[in-house]
Amino acid sequence: MKKRLGLVIDQERCIGCEACTVACKIENHGIKGWIRVKTQNAPRKDTPDGRFPDLRMHFLPVLCNHCENPPCVDACPVEALTKRNDGLVFLEDEKCDGCRICLEACPYDAIIFNPKKEKAEKCNLCAHRIDRGLEPFCVICCEGQAIHIGDLNDPAGRISQLVSKPATFQRNPETGTNPSVYYRPPQQPRGL
Ligand code: SF4
């Protein structure tokens, strides 16, 4: 079976420190980090939900989902976006002509336009590192070890086992793109 690289992000372990965003920016020199951390279930990004002492704050790191059926690839008129054999959706900087059609095609708002370069950019899952047998830089810099990478098509692999656990979810599966980024939800504190 073909490889399908993907991520499992454990919300229970994510502390919202944004080390992943900084790591991405350092490694890839994008206009900003291609992984960004959203706050969930809180009225404001910097304010927890609930009343003291029952406070909650959950974080959702979001990035390109390296979708199994990626509409961005179909939409790109210059074939700058391709689906690799290992499942990565790769945006080739040299080929991009800055038309921005892919920004409209992506249902996850995962592609960023860099006005300085006049090109689109997005997470390539550190393909340059993967090709050298290394993990993406966000994975190794994550303080809480919340990001796991592996082959989703390997049933014995660690991330397939994480994906098979109850409550694991993909963002907006109704888009039909079958994201390769999965999330483990935070545990509900007792009494809530
Ligand atoms: Fe393409 Fe968006 Fe899916 Fe990434 S999340 S593969 S940019 S459609």
Side-chain angles (χ1 to χ4, degrees):
M1 191 185 282
K2 248 169 70 171
K3 211 171 183 179
R4 184 182 160 215
L5 281 177
L7 299 179
V8 175
I9 300 180
D10 187 344
Q11 288 188 279
E12 184 65 20
R13 299 192 65 95
C14 176
I15 55 170
C17 68
E18 297 186 308
C20 54
T21 308
V22 175
C24 178
K25 174 86 174 133
I26 291 169
E27 181 72 11
N28 296 299
H29 312 289
I31 183 107
K32 47 185 161 180
W34 298 331
I35 178 168
R36 57 189 196 278
V37 182
K38 291 184 166 185
T39 305
Q40 277 189 315
N41 309 327
R44 283 183 18 209
K45 190 175 164 54
D46 55 356
T47 312
D49 190 21
R51 274 173 167 263
F52 182 82
D54 294 323
L55 299 171
R56 306 180 282 285
M57 205 160 178
H58 300 311
F59 305 99
L60 188 83
V62 296
L63 68 161
C64 169
N65 284 299
H66 297 277
C67 304
E68 198 164 28
N69 314 305
C72 58
V73 172
D74 296 337
C76 178
V78 292
E79 296 181 357
L81 279 151
T82 48
K83 181 90 177 148
R84 299 194 344 170
N85 281 338
D86 59 5
L88 294 194
V89 174
F90 188 79
L91 172 55
E92 203 173 330
D93 187 61
E94 292 75 29
K95 284 192 180 172
C96 176
D97 67 357
C99 73
R100 307 189 206 193
I101 291 172
C102 59
L103 274 78
E104 299 296 322
C106 172
Y108 294 97
D109 208 15
I111 306 180
I112 301 162
F113 186 72
N114 184 332
K116 287 188 193 150
K117 293 168 78 177
E118 298 201 332
K119 286 175 186 281
E121 52 183 47
K122 74 165 195 75
C123 162
N124 278 337
L125 212 56
C126 286
H128 57 288
R129 293 176 58 86
I130 300 256
D131 292 344
R132 287 188 285 142
L134 302 171
E135 291 185 325
F137 205 44
C138 62
V139 173
I140 63 166
C141 290
C142 175
E143 289 287 323
Q145 300 183 358
I147 313 175
H148 308 276
I149 185 166
D151 180 6
L152 291 161
N153 282 345
D154 174 7
R158 179 145 174 266
I159 73 161
S160 299
Q161 286 168 16
L162 288 170
V163 166
S164 69
K165 287 189 176 181
T168 303
F169 67 95
Q170 299 159 301
R171 289 173 61 214
N172 306 95
E174 69 280 3
T175 62
T177 68
N178 197 14
S180 298
V181 177
Y182 288 79
Y183 295 87
R184 295 278 310 134
Q187 287 171 20
Q188 201 67 351
R190 283 193 196 140
L192 293 176

